[in-house]
Amino acid sequence: MDIKVNPTRMELNQLKARHEVAVRGHKLLKDKRDELVRQFLERIRKNKELREQIEKELSAAMARFLLARAVMSAEVLEEALMYPTAKMSLEVDRQNIMSIYAPKLSFKQEASVEGGEDNIYPYGFVDTSAELDASIETMAGIMPKLMELAELEKAIQLLADEIEKTRRRANALEYVMIPRMEETIRYITMKLDEDERAALTRLMKIKDIVRAKV
Amino acid sequence: MPVKGAEYAYAVGRIRVLETRLLDEGRLDRMVESSSVDEAFKILGETEYAHMMAEVESVYDFEEILQAELERIHLLMQEINPQAHLTDLISLKYDFHNLKVLLKGKYLKETGGAMDDLLLPMGTIPLEDLQALIFDEEFQEDDYELPEEVCRAVEEIAEEFEASGDPQLIDLSLDRTLYEMLVGRAKELKSTVLEELFVREVDLTNIKTFLRVKRMGRDRRFLRRTMLPHGRLPVDLFSDLLDEPLEALAESLEKSQYADLADVLVREWQEKGNVTGFEKLADNMLIDHLRQVKYTTLGLEPLLGYLYAKETEIKNIRIILVGKVNGLPMDEIKERLRNVYV
């Protein structure tokens, strides 16, 4: 559908200006979209790598945990783990990726107890299986990576949203706004031309009449 | 003149019958080789566990069955044993488990719910007494019949914990107290079987702990704190070995009764980096010790043997069922099964 306008020269000028802005905007949006996609792909690749790595480690840790679980009763296991030695504090900052504010996670492992940094095992050794040690150790090692993964995945999600939005805008400009404006501009130009020709013919006609009378 | 140990006649008689109902190797094998949890569960249903299985809704509640069975056995022991304080020693570890839960709960400021689920009813000290000991500000030792050692340990922990805030202290300190009590009591009661059992437990635990501490890279001071007292192997031995390569451990144990075990331990550690096999052998060694005395006709030994056999059996069933539920390969399960007593 065309834009409803009065076919005047002023309207034409305004429309031309808008068209110019739209074309420029479209170019910018396209560039933004390309860059977003580039960033997105970069992160996706990293994410895949990291996720595979974590999943492998985590499933190994789970398997060990399972074995520890098999030789200990549920109560004993829970008692062993009920009071953790390590405390973690998490800070959420913002990072700017192409004016998207993605969370930046930074965490600190604090020892809740004196000398706790090097002691992630909060239990005694008599009732617990050695397989629990190994499992706890792997889990503790995975933590920073899990944080990184969380950060990355959130950024990817936000990026995906933004790409979708940008693409929609770029497409709207390219396939709807700009063609419509061009159409309207052509319509106004033609209308103005038509008016001009009508005026000209009228003038010629009048001239003829005047000349005939003389 | 009455026969020595005659008061055990009834108890031993009953135990002999119950012994025949223990799961034998064949049945455990069948459970391991069954194709699914349900099938393994069905096999369990053919045993004396059957009457308890009716009460649980799904296979996945097997933990409840095992718990109930363990409780039943401990109650039975108290009922038929003329000298209950001897088998009480075996149950003492549940008191200490409860103590750990309560103490940790106290310092975590946890109230009710989550903590209560972890308390075990098999202990020898009533739970209310333990709760009073730990939560009651104006606790008077004389009002309750609590072992002196326990009270002292709790006091010590309170002091130490306030200074350092390290929850591991609670476990370490209680474990020490437990074994001090066990060996001490066994000596007082002049029960060589019990004493030998506990001493072996101490030694085996110490060997394992040594390895775990070594792997964690902790120092001698920490190692000394983790070691249990009254072992046949002196704590200094472990302390001296901490910085040596692992082979040194096997060498220095060469002459002891743990030579074979130490061998397995070192080899397994170097090849696979775990101690699964050792843990199994350690349990086997204790069972074997009790098996030697199985044929005493009158006395405490058969009772102890049965109690231990039952605990091992429950452990085995847990290993199998956990393995089956989680689809562990058959040989991984087999690798971990303990010897059976029968």
Side-chain angles (χ1 to χ4, degrees), chain A residues 66-67 69-70 72-73 75 78-79 82-83 113 119 121 123-126 128-131 133-134 137, chain B residues 63 67 97 100 104 108 118 165 167-168 171 175 212 215-216 218 226 275-276 279 318-319 326 336:
Chain A
L66 184 69
L67 297 175
R69 167 75 189 79
M72 290 163 71
S73 79
E75 284 84 4
E78 274 199 50
E79 182 274 316
M82 77 185 267
Y83 198 143
V113 301
N119 188 11
Y121 313 96
Y123 44 77
F125 296 96
V126 174
T128 54
S129 162
E131 264 162 320
D133 296 355
E137 197 191 339
Chain B
E63 200 66 57
Q67 200 64 42
H97 166 82
K100 286 180 195 170
K104 285 185 181 179
L108 280 174
L118 299 181
Q168 200 175 26
D171 282 10
D175 286 340
R212 292 167 75 178
R215 201 181 75 123
M216 289 173 194
R218 304 297 299 268
T226 61
V275 292
T276 314
E279 281 179 358
R318 178 176 295 122
I319 294 171
N326 295 290
R336 289 176 171 75

Side-chain angles (χ1 to χ4, degrees), chain B residues 318-337:
Chain B
R318 178 176 295 122
I319 294 171
I320 295 178
L321 289 181
V322 169
K324 283 286 163 205
V325 167
N326 295 290
L328 224 57
M330 241 178 257
D331 40 313
E332 286 238 24
I333 300 180
K334 267 197 182 144
E335 202 180 66
R336 289 176 171 75
L337 284 190

Side-chain angles (χ1 to χ4, degrees), chain B residues 222-251:
Chain B
F222 182 76
L223 178 77
R224 277 179 183 278
R225 280 206 355 225
T226 61
M227 289 285 130
L228 299 174
H230 298 306
R232 199 160 285 144
L233 307 169
V235 174
D236 291 327
L237 171 82
F238 292 112
S239 174
D240 291 342
L241 283 171
L242 191 59
D243 297 326
E244 303 282 324
L246 204 54
E247 287 83 356
L249 175 73
E251 261 169 53

